[in-house]
Amino acid sequence: MSGAAATEKVRVIVGEDHPLFRDGLVRALTSSGVVDVVAEADDGVAALALIKTHLPHVALLDYRMPGMDGAKVAAAVRRDDLPTRVLLLSAHDESAIVFRALEDGAAGFLSKESTKTEIVKGVLDCAKGRDVVSAGLAAGLAGEIRRRGETKAPVLTAREREVLDFIAQGHSVPAIAAELYLAPPSPSACRRFCACR
């Protein structure tokens, strides 16, 4: 467990703006016998302040909270290099939201549909340094990663691709320059980049 002895309870802060749901989370975690909820917050600003004060192993936060959402808290924790790992809970399962939250610095993302057992296990796994994503969210996340890979901006500009195509067709550097209306390259550039014909 990161920052805790194997027998030490996992110290957790719970951030959730709905009191009944927050109470349920606290009860579920404390009744596990292996988690110590050190503080509770009902908004993101308070949650971040409590993280800085208590430096818990895990901050279990609602994704949507007043003041500062859970993803912004995760980004601030990463920015300030705090040892706490942020595990987000949300009723929203849009893969783009999950992707952005993990990209911002969250260590995991669980659905609010998760069972008590799944939430406790998620917190413990998170405290051990593992990344946590609900099984129901994982497939959508994989699809989101694939989509983003396919739509990623090309590494080469359009002009660079044109030049590369001409080189692949066997054109010399002076011929490419003439074709694309570029200034003729210097002899040293020709020697550097390809054998001119």
Side-chain angles (χ1 to χ4, degrees), residues 158-167 173-183:
R159 177 48 64 97
E160 289 167 337
R161 283 198 307 276
E162 272 186 288
V163 171
L164 194 57
D165 286 342
F166 278 119
I167 291 170
V173 171
I176 295 169
E179 185 72 31
L180 299 177
Y181 306 105
L182 300 172

Side-chain angles (χ1 to χ4, degrees), residues 73-147:
V73 174
V77 166
R78 181 168 67 178
R79 179 198 67 214
D80 296 342
D81 200 26
L82 301 173
T84 301
R85 305 192 82 224
V86 177
L87 177 59
L88 298 178
L89 275 170
S90 180
H92 303 278
D93 61 357
E94 294 96 349
S95 53
I97 287 176
V98 178
F99 183 92
R100 276 196 306 273
L102 297 175
E103 194 173 45
D104 286 343
F109 205 107
L110 294 176
S111 166
K112 281 191 173 179
E113 301 290 318
S114 301
T115 65
K116 165 188 164 180
T117 303
E118 289 168 338
I119 290 172
V120 171
K121 182 180 184 309
V123 166
L124 296 179
D125 284 347
C126 198
K128 291 173 185 170
R130 298 178 189 146
D131 294 329
V132 177
V133 177
S134 291
L137 300 176
L141 180 60
E144 182 70 19
I145 291 168
R146 191 167 42 255
R147 277 191 299 280

Side-chain angles (χ1 to χ4, degrees), residues 1-91:
M1 190 181 301
S2 61
T7 56
E8 183 184 350
K9 284 188 176 183
V10 175
R11 289 179 297 108
V12 175
I13 281 174
V14 174
E16 164 63 55
D17 59 321
H18 294 96
L20 285 175
F21 193 76
R22 185 173 67 245
D23 289 347
L25 287 173
V26 172
R27 277 197 308 276
L29 293 170
T30 54
S31 68
S32 71
V34 291
V35 174
D36 181 17
V37 177
V38 296
E40 301 173 40
D42 60 5
D43 69 71
V45 175
L48 182 58
L50 289 170
I51 290 169
K52 290 178 177 180
T53 300
H54 295 279
L55 299 177
H57 300 111
V58 177
L60 180 64
L61 308 177
D62 186 7
Y63 173 74
R64 293 200 191 282
M65 284 190 294
M68 179 185 280
D69 70 33
K72 286 183 181 155
V73 174
V77 166
R78 181 168 67 178
R79 179 198 67 214
D80 296 342
D81 200 26
L82 301 173
T84 301
R85 305 192 82 224
V86 177
L87 177 59
L88 298 178
L89 275 170
S90 180

Side-chain angles (χ1 to χ4, degrees), residues 173-195:
V173 171
I176 295 169
E179 185 72 31
L180 299 177
Y181 306 105
L182 300 172
S186 67
S188 63
C190 285
R191 283 193 297 275
R192 252 194 340 261
F193 295 110
C194 72

